[in-house]
Amino acid sequence: MATVVAMTYLLPPVVFGWLYAYKDGSPRPFPITVRRLVVTAFDAIVYLGQILYGLLLSIYLFKIRRKTPARTLTLHRQMYHLFRYDIHHIAGVKTTLLNPEKEDFARPAIIICNHKSLLDPVCLMALSPRILIVTGTKVWHNPVVHRILCFADFISMDNGIDSIVEQCGKHVAQGYSIAIFPEGERVTGDDIGRFHNGAFLLAKLLHVDLLPVYLHGLKDLMPLHSPVCNSGRMTIQIGKRISPEEQQSMGDSLLDIKKTIHRQFTETYRETDVWLNP
């Protein structure tokens, strides 16, 4: 009898509550469906297969053979082609790239990008094979991706500012751009979060351009704590470079530069968001 009561009065609210709402009770933008669970599971299997391929390629290039800049670039090109294919072939998702400045990433820069979803790093790596990402502690120590991040010369925030500057300087000299999420963590709201100093300090010390990249729609596609990827649209917008001279004209202190760029970044993000969602 207790089982019948539980199945009748307890299980349905729990199951349907999970399908339509988050743990905190706020509604999901889209309910979880069997189709989305299947699509997400398939995408996850493909992603894990790509990680395995990257590991095997890395072992061949760097362990069986000797690690060189050319072989490292070979790994990055493989990752670039795989992730570029991925973002354009997620079932139920339309991907658009806006590149009005015809950016080709030929010159190194510090890329600053808003952070809304687990898919954000994939979108950045799909822009060019010469992009490295500064990763946080949680991602760096994730057992699924840790080895491939090491092989690919990604940079960990755990290393400390002096080591990070040294590593980034070496990669910039080899023609790589360094991508940083200046908000520091995924932001759950619709707007841009507060920026930290790291990206702007790096740009100043390395005397390189800042390059804004805006990601639209990813918060709804795969929100924080969501187990599935929803249907919808994502837009990757590459902005205009900000030269060292332009950065210097924004103020004498790092705080002034950060505040000015945050304001410009937020304004551009909002304008494009309104244009995309009239």
Side-chain angles (χ1 to χ4, degrees):
M1 185 63 182
T3 303
V4 173
V5 172
M7 292 292 290
T8 304
Y9 294 102
L10 297 181
L11 189 60
V14 171
V15 172
F16 283 98
W18 177 75
L19 292 175
Y20 286 92
Y22 295 114
K23 290 181 179 179
D24 60 3
S26 59
R28 298 182 186 275
F30 303 97
I32 295 177
T33 64
V34 173
R35 180 178 182 274
R36 294 317 305 170
L37 285 172
V38 171
V39 168
T40 302
F42 176 77
D43 291 341
I45 291 170
V46 170
Y47 178 73
L48 291 174
Q50 291 173 344
I51 294 294
L52 178 60
Y53 168 72
L55 285 172
L56 294 175
L57 179 62
S58 299
I59 291 170
Y60 170 71
L61 290 174
F62 307 143
K63 297 297 185 181
I64 297 177
R65 306 182 74 182
R66 183 171 57 89
K67 187 171 185 176
T68 65
R71 288 175 185 148
T72 303
L73 184 58
T74 296
L75 173 63
H76 291 152
R77 283 177 174 151
Q78 290 295 305
M79 294 169 63
Y80 160 73
H81 288 299
L82 288 173
F83 291 139
R84 191 173 182 85
Y85 177 87
D86 287 346
I87 66 171
H88 289 284
H89 293 84
I90 302 174
V93 176
K94 180 181 179 181
T95 302
T96 303
L97 175 63
L98 302 178
N99 188 9
E101 303 295 329
K102 301 295 187 290
E103 178 62 52
D104 59 3
F105 299 93
R107 290 184 292 116
I110 301 298
I111 298 171
I112 54 174
C113 180
N114 58 307
H115 198 11
K116 301 287 187 183
S117 166
L118 281 173
L119 297 174
D120 299 348
V122 174
C123 292
L124 290 177
M125 288 186 284
L127 296 177
S128 168
R130 289 187 176 272
I131 292 178
L132 300 176
I133 301 177
V134 178
T135 62
T137 300
K138 187 175 181 180
V139 174
W140 183 260
H141 292 288
N142 186 313
V144 176
V145 298
H146 175 71
R147 291 309 306 166
I148 192 67
L149 295 180
C150 294
F151 281 133
D153 287 339
F154 279 35
I155 302 112
S156 170
M157 289 294 295
D158 292 348
N159 294 338
I161 186 62
D162 292 335
S163 177
I164 291 174
V165 171
E166 181 182 353
Q167 291 179 69
C168 290
K170 180 185 72 173
H171 296 311
V172 164
Q174 295 174 345
Y176 286 89
S177 292
I178 310 297
I180 298 178
F181 299 109
E183 295 161 302
E185 58 185 5
R186 280 181 283 169
V187 177
T188 56
D190 293 325
D191 219 334
I192 303 300
R194 182 176 66 89
F195 282 178
H196 296 275
N197 293 335
F200 311 98
L201 178 61
L202 270 179
K204 181 178 181 180
L205 293 176
L206 300 179
H207 198 69
V208 294
D209 297 343
L210 281 164
L211 177 58
V213 172
Y214 313 85
L215 301 179
H216 301 269
L218 277 86
K219 181 180 75 68
D220 292 330
L221 289 181
M222 200 164 189
L224 187 65
H225 305 310
S226 174
V228 300
C229 181
N230 301 311
S231 300
R233 178 180 62 185
M234 68 174 170
T235 302
I236 305 169
Q237 177 188 6
I238 304 174
K240 183 180 180 181
R241 285 175 177 258
I242 306 171
S243 69
E245 292 73 26
E246 289 174 307
Q247 296 169 43
Q248 191 173 6
S249 69
M250 293 175 180
D252 297 326
S253 70
L254 206 63
L255 180 61
D256 292 334
I257 296 171
K258 180 181 70 172
K259 284 183 175 179
T260 301
I261 293 177
H262 181 274
R263 184 178 67 253
Q264 293 177 351
F265 192 102
T266 302
E267 289 173 354
T268 302
Y269 178 83
R270 288 173 178 170
E271 289 171 1
T272 306
D273 213 41
V274 170
W275 177 70
L276 291 171
N277 303 282

